[in-house]
Amino acid sequence: MNSITERNIKTAESDNWLHAAGRTLNSILLNGILILFSFTCIFPLIWLFYSSLKLKRDFNANVVGLPKSPTFFNFKRIMINPDYHIWSSMFNSARNTVLSVLLIIICGYIIGYILARIRFKGNLPIKLMFLLGLVIPTYSLMVPIYVLFSNLGISNKWYTLIIPYLAFGLPIAIFLVDGYIKGIPKELEEAAAIDGSSFSRTLFQIIMPIAKPILVTVGIIQTFTCWNEFVFALLLIKDQRIQTVPLAMTQFTGQFSSDYPKIMAALLITMSPVVIFYFVFSRNIIKGMVTGAVKG
Amino acid sequence: MRKLGIIAAVLMLTAGMVFAGGGGESASASSGGISVNGLAYTGDLEIMHFSTSEEAEGNGGSDGFRTVLARWDEEEGKINLVQTILANDEYKKQIAVLAAADDLPDVFLLQGMNTKAWAAQGLVLDMTKIIKNSPYYAQYDHPKFYPFESEGKTYGLPVLTGGTCCVVVYDSKLWKEAGFSAFPETWADVKKADRFFNDKGIDTISFGNSGKWQINSCFLSTIGNRFTGGDWTHSLIEKKGAAFTDKPFVDALKFTQQIFASGIFNPDFNAVNNEDAREYYIAGDSAAFIGGNWDVSYIQATLKESDPELYKTTKFAVLPQPEGATGDYKTHDIGLGYAVAINAKLADNPEKLAAAVSLAQEITGPDFASYVAENYALGGLTKVANIDLSKFDQSIQDFYNFSYVDNKACDIYDSYISSAVWDVLNTDLQTMINGDIDPKKVAENAQAAYIANY
Amino acid sequence: MLTAIKPRRRTIFLYLLIPTAVYIFVVFIPLLTACFYSFFEWKGGPNKTFIGFQNYAYLLKDKVFWESFYHNLYIVAACILGQVGIAFVFALMINSRSVGLKGVHRTFCFFPNTISAVSIGFIWTMIYDYRRGLINWFLELIGHPEMIKVWLNEPKVVMPLISIPLIWQYIGFYMVIIISAIASIDKEIFEVAELDGANAFQRAIHIVLPLIKNTLLVCVTLCIAGNMKVFDHIFVMTAGGPGNASNVMALYGYKVSFDQQNMGYGTAISLAIFILSMTVIGGSQGLVKRLTKEKETV
């Protein structure tokens, strides 16, 4: 089938200039759509940035326009206020995120692989159990989780948040890995088995490199989820010294006051570490997402 | 104000460390009122509240709360005060979880509408005797305890400042141009003025109800009172026969629906919140604004800096009287929405309880009251004699008189009953002022929720 | 399933043990507890009264809940088409030879996912704002001031309006997943299917679609699961309003649990969300399987 379609394309290409013009038009259209969409995706960041340089009045007068007299006043206010614990919360968030994401990737990969490939009695029940995790609204577990954690004395510790982040991150990771592994031809593992490779070796040294794209994908998705997570942070952390960034940021909104440019500055500060990380490493991340495929 | 906030913050941060070992020798510090009665308790005392440093920047009550709390912490050096400070939204969420998990902090802020339910479940300490024995008992403004009473017992010391929830803020200059020397006393006149302002291209009154509670707290509580009178409200609170479906209340709803359909408000009243709506007033896009004391202090602070002209011409009025309403005209709903309450479990630990009581009394006592009176011309639970208003500028004086002198107080609905009822009613009210549901139906739904939950 | 390797049972057990235990501990036990609570009248304090199935009986007649359920279905449908559908098309487009700046597109399109839902809601509220918002500003610009509306206060259009930000945010998410799935496909097969003419698109669907079927199924499942419990965006933009016109199940359950402090009924609602979500997911999987089977036989 391949060769036939290939030939079709080739003959079509050399057909005539009209077709070539069509191709150009088509490519302009494709590029245009994508550029437009990419722009809308990145515009909020630009807008957040220049709006945060405005003062409240300036912003309310014109939401879209550029600032008339840009100022870092909003950022200063946030950075110097010791009540926000901004630096220590950044550190806490970073630690939680890194540890949680690593655990999610490793555990998600192992379980996802086993569920995709190994036939055993518990396979379906375990899979269903993880599927359940996708459809539970977090708020419904707030009270039970609070009670559980405080009774066991594991709330309000530096490692507290990693536990729910891992648990709630697993289902997505498992399903992505499971779907991906099923798309990989089985011959590789069969060949490895014939060569006498142990299960663990196959798991980590043969299949893991192939699954790299999906693992990188899981990694970035979970990085932002963990970084932005709020409900558990509010629920389980009391001590300001171990609170995370989203929790620290709530201190900005008083009961009856809201200052949009200031909130935006706060949002930018919250986002900055992960966003910088994302843009700096985007090349590598994307490479990781698209290479590693089986050459067949 | 900002500086004060920061100083208070720094104080709080250092207090715990610096004074932890130092003992209470600083009794002579700025505060006259705090008695160093040698509390025997040493150890942690938890308090959870929502006076963030951000909040304290514009809100006199929060500033006073933080200041007095820091003083107390400083003076009671042997007690380690552990504070959990969350913004109000998060506070409400967290305190609900803690109540459900039966794990409330030692001292916390109790919302009026939770009093009955939480008292019935034994979560909060009965403070009736404590209040009677308080050194400040004689100075308390006793009606303020009403939202925190249940079956003859009192469960908290009302905290922060008592401000109006319903005030018309208007630009007297603009209204003069429209032909009114003061804000109209009838809605018919407001509608007349509306034509004038329409031609000018501005809204007559701005209001923001995207949060859904504003229409209840900042409008209906007062308008309802004009139709039903205060006895009806008390009868409803005390379950003595009044119902949401009673004709006067339904009339109040009907009126509310009509007035929001009349076009005198900004078209986006349901899509913006009060913070946006007051910006319309500040920017001169509306001739008046309806909101609460928190909006007023913000408007005053902003205008003073950015628009001294408008600051001078800004005046305050009660809501005009609806046609057919028979209640008092000069009324507005005002009160204290929160009280300092103590975890019932502290009853087993008299020393700790004494510490908690001392804390509760001080942050609601004369120290707090004089701080907010002197700095903001605001009042709290404890009465302050002879406030010298002359040092404040005209606007602050006007607002003080509006709030505490010239007008009569009525009840804020959602300081009572149960959030389950208000949540249902507020949701319906939002639809109702859009014109999409019949006021009768709204009353029926509210009544059903009332019967089911209260 | 693989038959060539049969690891020892103990190996599997050891690998599964710790993560599954953590999961059971954090998700499953609380879930069972919640299930238990749903049979109680529990008004937000320590006291609970057993009332059997009353909460569920009430739920069946609760108009607000079913209205919210309908809104969830609406969002799910919009998002399967909008999120997964557009993401699939975009993934193919980006893989096309005639498209440049591939890296930039992939980086940028995913970007909205890095922002918290609360911020996304905030940004879009600004876009829809009556006075200052982008849409009304644009309508004014092109000379159609009569079309200006208080967008989020229009019960008739509020559902599509709150779906748009959700779709917009997650296109990049599914695109990234689909791109990594496509990466596992043999490159030569894919190049054949490249977009370069009217029929190329169909070809792409016939060739690529079956190959990444598993991943797409995962995407659809994630999409349904995510949108059956969608919460934050709507909470920020409309809080379910005006009235209940954009209320969704999770938001309603949250309001009942915490704003109304009716935790017993609130947990009953969350269990209903849970059961309804599983039903919809199960139904969709069955449907997809049937559809793809038909396609394969045709």
Side-chain angles (χ1 to χ4, degrees):
Chain A
M1 179 188 79
N2 290 353
S3 55
I4 298 169
T5 24
E6 208 155 7
R7 207 176 303 138
N8 278 346
I9 290 168
K10 272 183 189 143
T11 48
E13 260 175 323
S14 57
D15 220 0
N16 52 32
W17 65 269
L18 217 146
H19 201 96
R23 253 189 87 104
T24 323
L25 203 73
N26 192 33
S27 105
I28 291 173
L29 191 72
L30 290 186
N31 278 298
I33 293 173
L34 283 175
I35 288 170
L36 194 73
F37 185 74
S38 288
F39 177 73
T40 69
C41 290
I42 207 69
F43 181 72
L45 185 67
I46 302 166
W47 178 67
L48 278 179
F49 181 70
Y50 73 69
S51 298
S52 64
L53 302 178
K54 292 177 180 177
L55 289 182
K56 190 172 179 176
R57 301 302 312 283
D58 195 8
F59 178 78
N60 282 325
N62 185 354
V63 174
V64 193
L66 290 168
K68 285 185 197 105
S69 45
T71 163
F72 280 99
F73 178 68
N74 292 317
F75 289 94
K76 260 188 231 153
R77 285 203 288 182
I78 297 166
M79 304 287 217
I80 60 166
N81 193 331
D83 274 11
Y84 298 154
H85 299 271
I86 205 117
W87 303 113
S88 65
S89 20
M90 289 258 185
F91 172 76
N92 294 330
S93 281
R95 181 179 53 198
N96 281 340
T97 306
V98 169
L99 292 176
S100 310
V101 169
L102 281 178
L103 285 173
I104 292 169
I105 291 179
I106 295 170
C107 299
Y109 169 66
I110 296 173
I111 300 178
Y113 178 81
I114 291 177
L115 292 182
R117 283 292 202 248
I118 315 292
R119 185 179 293 169
F120 63 102
K121 246 188 225 156
N123 191 309
L124 192 66
I126 292 183
K127 202 172 193 173
L128 275 176
M129 193 179 73
F130 280 109
L131 184 64
L132 288 178
L134 286 177
V135 296
I136 301 171
T138 326
Y139 82 87
S140 62
L141 301 186
M142 277 168 75
V143 177
I145 286 182
Y146 179 86
V147 174
L148 191 67
F149 274 63
S150 71
N151 285 349
L152 289 171
I154 53 168
S155 68
N156 210 21
K157 298 275 192 296
W158 69 267
Y159 55 81
T160 298
L161 291 176
I162 298 171
I163 304 168
Y165 291 179
L166 170 63
F168 281 91
L170 273 181
I172 278 200
I174 289 171
F175 279 91
L176 288 175
V177 171
D178 176 79
Y180 191 87
I181 299 282
K182 278 183 183 154
I184 299 177
K186 288 170 196 163
E187 288 83 356
L188 263 173
E189 289 134 286
E190 277 160 4
I194 291 163
D195 287 352
S197 164
S198 73
F199 175 70
S200 302
R201 214 183 88 87
T202 313
L203 183 66
F204 290 111
Q205 288 183 353
I206 297 176
I207 304 301
M208 204 162 178
I210 297 170
K212 202 173 85 190
I214 202 68
L215 297 183
V216 174
T217 308
V218 167
I220 44 168
I221 290 169
Q222 293 299 336
T223 302
F224 300 112
T225 316
C226 292
W227 185 271
N228 293 323
E229 201 283 331
F230 177 69
V231 175
F232 289 117
L234 171 67
L235 194 67
L236 300 174
I237 299 295
K238 266 188 203 162
D239 192 340
Q240 290 201 317
R241 282 167 305 180
I242 53 170
Q243 74 183 4
T244 57
V245 177
L247 199 58
M249 288 299 133
T250 62
Q251 303 282 328
F252 290 90
T253 48
Q255 183 179 7
F256 297 114
S257 58
S258 73
D259 178 341
Y260 293 136
K262 189 176 171 188
I263 292 176
M264 290 162 130
L267 288 180
L268 276 177
I269 295 175
T270 330
M271 288 159 51
S272 55
V274 273
V275 168
I276 291 169
F277 170 84
Y278 177 68
F279 281 117
V280 169
F281 292 102
S282 65
R283 275 183 73 97
N284 302 28
I285 291 172
I286 284 160
K287 232 189 218 161
M289 289 187 322
V290 292
T291 53
V294 212
K295 301 276 174 220
Chain B
M1 259 191 289
R2 220 174 89 69
K3 257 192 191 150
L4 264 176
I6 292 174
I7 291 169
V10 173
L11 268 178
M12 298 246 227
L13 274 176
T14 47
M17 300 177 250
V18 177
F19 295 94
E25 71 251 304
S26 52
S28 58
S30 54
S31 67
I34 294 181
S35 52
V36 183
N37 47 11
L39 292 170
Y41 180 70
T42 54
D44 289 353
L45 183 70
E46 304 160 343
I47 181 170
M48 191 162 141
H49 64 89
F50 51 82
S51 290
T52 61
S53 68
E54 175 85 10
E55 185 69 30
E57 280 179 31
N59 181 323
S62 301
D63 181 20
F65 184 90
R66 288 178 70 100
T67 310
V68 177
L69 191 65
R71 278 185 202 160
W72 187 89
D73 190 22
E74 190 178 312
E75 280 163 24
E76 301 300 339
K78 279 182 254 166
I79 296 167
N80 180 28
L81 190 67
V82 182
Q83 297 192 50
T84 308
I85 314 170
L86 296 167
N88 188 262
D89 277 351
E90 283 74 37
Y91 177 84
K92 283 195 251 180
K93 193 193 287 180
Q94 185 74 337
I95 207 84
V97 173
L98 296 178
D102 195 15
D103 195 21
L104 285 165
D106 300 327
V107 182
F108 58 95
L109 271 56
L110 170 71
Q111 223 178 341
M113 61 181 161
N114 288 332
T115 307
K116 287 205 159 76
W118 290 13
Q121 305 206 42
L123 286 168
V124 282
L125 188 79
D126 169 16
M127 291 176 76
T128 320
K129 267 191 202 141
I130 293 168
I131 292 163
K132 282 229 171 83
N133 295 331
S134 164
Y136 315 124
Y137 182 76
Q139 290 155 268
Y140 288 153
D141 184 11
H142 291 276
K144 294 211 164 81
F145 285 104
Y146 184 53
F148 309 99
E149 284 167 5
S150 176
E151 304 184 352
K153 292 173 187 157
T154 313
Y155 289 91
L157 283 157
V159 70
L160 300 169
T161 51
T164 179
C165 290
C166 180
V167 51
V168 182
V169 181
Y170 68 102
D171 179 4
S172 57
K173 194 170 137 232
L174 273 176
W175 286 82
K176 196 164 261 170
E177 283 173 32
F180 297 92
S181 58
F183 197 78
E185 297 189 359
T186 67
W187 290 95
D189 280 348
V190 177
K191 285 180 198 161
K192 262 182 220 155
D194 185 48
R195 267 170 253 152
F196 173 80
F197 293 125
N198 266 346
D199 293 341
K200 251 181 120 82
I202 60 175
D203 292 320
T204 305
I205 303 176
S206 58
F207 188 73
N209 185 46
S210 70
K212 297 180 185 161
W213 55 269
Q214 290 96 340
I215 185 73
N216 189 338
S217 293
C218 310
F219 195 84
L220 190 66
S221 288
T222 295
I223 289 294
N225 184 67
R226 303 276 179 84
F227 281 91
T228 65
D231 292 343
W232 178 86
T233 319
H234 283 224
S235 163
L236 193 73
I237 294 164
E238 288 154 19
K239 291 204 261 191
K240 287 184 180 156
F244 284 102
T245 44
D246 292 343
K247 187 171 179 295
F249 186 75
V250 176
D251 286 344
L253 292 178
K254 278 184 187 156
F255 166 77
T256 305
Q257 187 175 43
Q258 282 160 15
I259 202 70
F260 274 88
S262 72
I264 60 169
F265 291 96
N266 47 314
D268 51 350
F269 57 77
N270 259 343
V272 297
N273 58 23
N274 53 307
E275 283 123 10
D276 299 303
R278 72 192 181 201
E279 289 293 340
Y280 296 172
Y281 177 76
I282 291 167
D285 293 333
S286 67
F289 162 78
I290 294 176
N293 68 80
W294 51 89
D295 296 308
V296 172
S297 52
Y298 176 85
I299 290 173
Q300 285 173 329
T302 313
L303 287 181
K304 205 173 175 179
E305 253 174 54
S306 67
D307 195 344
E309 269 308 301
L310 182 57
Y311 183 58
K312 264 187 213 149
T313 55
T314 294
K315 302 281 175 207
F316 310 102
V318 292
L319 290 185
Q321 184 75 334
E323 214 173 301
T326 51
D328 285 334
Y329 155 57
K330 285 207 160 249
T331 56
H332 61 130
D333 57 305
I334 179 170
L336 275 72
Y338 285 88
V340 184
I342 298 176
N343 189 332
K345 287 175 189 160
L346 258 61
D348 306 334
N349 185 345
E351 286 184 357
K352 193 173 186 181
L353 177 61
V357 167
S358 153
L359 177 67
Q361 283 171 349
E362 294 312 326
I363 50 180
T364 57
D367 224 28
F368 172 80
S370 52
Y371 183 90
V372 291
E374 280 164 25
N375 293 291
Y376 298 98
L378 292 168
L381 169 69
T382 310
K383 287 185 267 189
V384 180
N386 310 320
I387 299 177
D388 177 20
L389 284 177
S390 62
K391 66 175 173 178
F392 294 106
D393 52 38
Q394 193 58 45
S395 181
I396 307 256
Q397 291 189 30
D398 286 351
F399 190 56
Y400 181 88
N401 289 327
F402 169 89
S403 303
Y404 306 122
V405 184
D406 297 341
N407 303 303
K408 265 179 74 180
C410 66
D411 293 308
I412 310 165
Y413 285 158
D414 64 10
S415 285
Y416 306 92
I417 306 185
S418 150
S419 49
V421 176
W422 303 126
D423 194 56
V424 170
L425 179 65
N426 293 355
T427 305
D428 277 351
L429 285 175
Q430 196 182 40
T431 314
M432 187 189 85
I433 57 177
N434 268 348
D436 294 335
I437 185 175
D438 184 38
K440 252 195 184 142
K441 184 78 190 142
V442 174
E444 281 164 17
N445 291 346
Q447 184 62 22
Y450 174 79
I451 288 168
N453 293 290
Y454 187 61
Chain C
M1 293 273 173
L2 195 61
T3 44
I5 38 165
K6 264 245 159 187
R8 275 182 305 173
R9 215 160 263 210
R10 216 181 53 193
T11 323
I12 302 180
F13 180 74
L14 284 178
Y15 272 125
L16 290 179
L17 181 67
I18 293 174
T20 315
V22 171
Y23 179 80
I24 289 178
F25 170 70
V26 183
V27 181
F28 226 67
I29 294 177
L31 183 69
L32 289 177
T33 324
C35 194
F36 177 70
Y37 289 157
S38 70
F39 296 103
F40 287 81
E41 182 185 83
W42 179 23
K43 297 262 160 86
N47 299 1
K48 305 174 190 77
T49 329
F50 183 77
I51 52 166
F53 281 92
Q54 273 183 42
N55 282 328
Y56 291 97
Y58 184 78
L59 184 91
L60 289 176
K61 292 180 293 182
D62 188 347
K63 269 189 204 139
V64 180
F65 177 79
W66 293 106
E67 196 186 340
S68 307
F69 174 59
Y70 168 74
H71 292 149
N72 276 103
L73 288 183
Y74 180 99
I75 294 172
V76 164
C79 287
I80 288 180
L81 286 176
Q83 292 175 347
V84 185
I86 296 179
F88 178 66
V89 175
F90 276 12
L92 292 178
M93 279 161 77
I94 282 183
N95 271 298
S96 155
R97 230 182 315 172
S98 47
V99 163
L101 302 170
K102 293 176 199 287
V104 173
H105 289 315
R106 280 186 293 231
T107 310
F108 282 16
C109 291
F110 185 77
F111 179 73
N113 285 279
T114 66
I115 314 176
S116 64
V118 173
S119 317
I120 298 277
F122 170 73
I123 289 166
W124 281 85
T125 313
M126 282 291 140
I127 292 174
Y128 293 138
D129 193 78
Y130 172 71
R131 232 172 246 248
R132 306 161 291 185
L134 219 53
I135 293 184
N136 285 350
W137 171 79
F138 182 72
L139 288 172
E140 191 102 41
L141 195 76
I142 58 167
H144 283 285
E146 79 282 354
M147 286 165 70
I148 285 177
K149 281 197 176 87
V150 185
W151 293 104
L152 292 178
N153 193 33
E154 294 285 327
K156 283 189 194 109
V157 293
V158 70
M159 282 312 297
L161 289 180
I162 58 165
S163 306
I164 291 171
L166 281 167
I167 294 172
W168 170 78
Q169 186 182 7
Y170 284 100
I171 285 178
F173 176 88
Y174 292 108
M175 197 178 92
V176 161
I177 295 174
I178 294 170
I179 286 178
S180 55
I182 289 175
S184 74
I185 301 176
D186 187 342
K187 272 234 166 61
E188 279 164 31
I189 302 178
F190 190 72
E191 268 163 25
V192 169
E194 201 173 283
L195 281 177
D196 60 352
N199 283 326
F201 189 68
Q202 282 181 338
R203 249 178 291 161
I205 286 184
H206 283 298
I207 297 166
V208 180
L209 203 61
L211 284 171
I212 60 164
K213 195 183 78 188
N214 282 318
T215 300
L216 279 181
L217 207 59
V218 172
C219 286
V220 170
T221 309
L222 288 181
C223 184
I224 297 172
N227 289 308
M228 288 302 274
K229 58 172 190 180
V230 61
F231 177 91
D232 299 286
H233 299 76
I234 298 168
F235 183 72
V236 175
M237 282 191 286
T238 63
N244 284 317
S246 62
N247 211 355
V248 287
M249 293 187 292
L251 190 57
Y252 183 56
Y254 171 84
K255 277 170 68 176
V256 168
S257 293
F258 294 103
D259 291 350
Q260 306 188 6
Q261 294 191 25
N262 196 344
M263 301 231 174
Y265 186 46
T267 31
I269 291 175
S270 50
L271 280 154
I273 297 180
F274 186 75
I275 292 162
L276 291 168
S277 306
M278 293 303 268
T279 316
V280 175
I281 290 174
S284 73
Q285 295 213 334
L287 197 72
V288 169
K289 269 183 192 143
R290 183 180 273 182
L291 285 177
T292 45
K293 253 186 202 148
E294 271 172 24
K295 230 175 224 164
E296 273 160 24
T297 50
V298 167

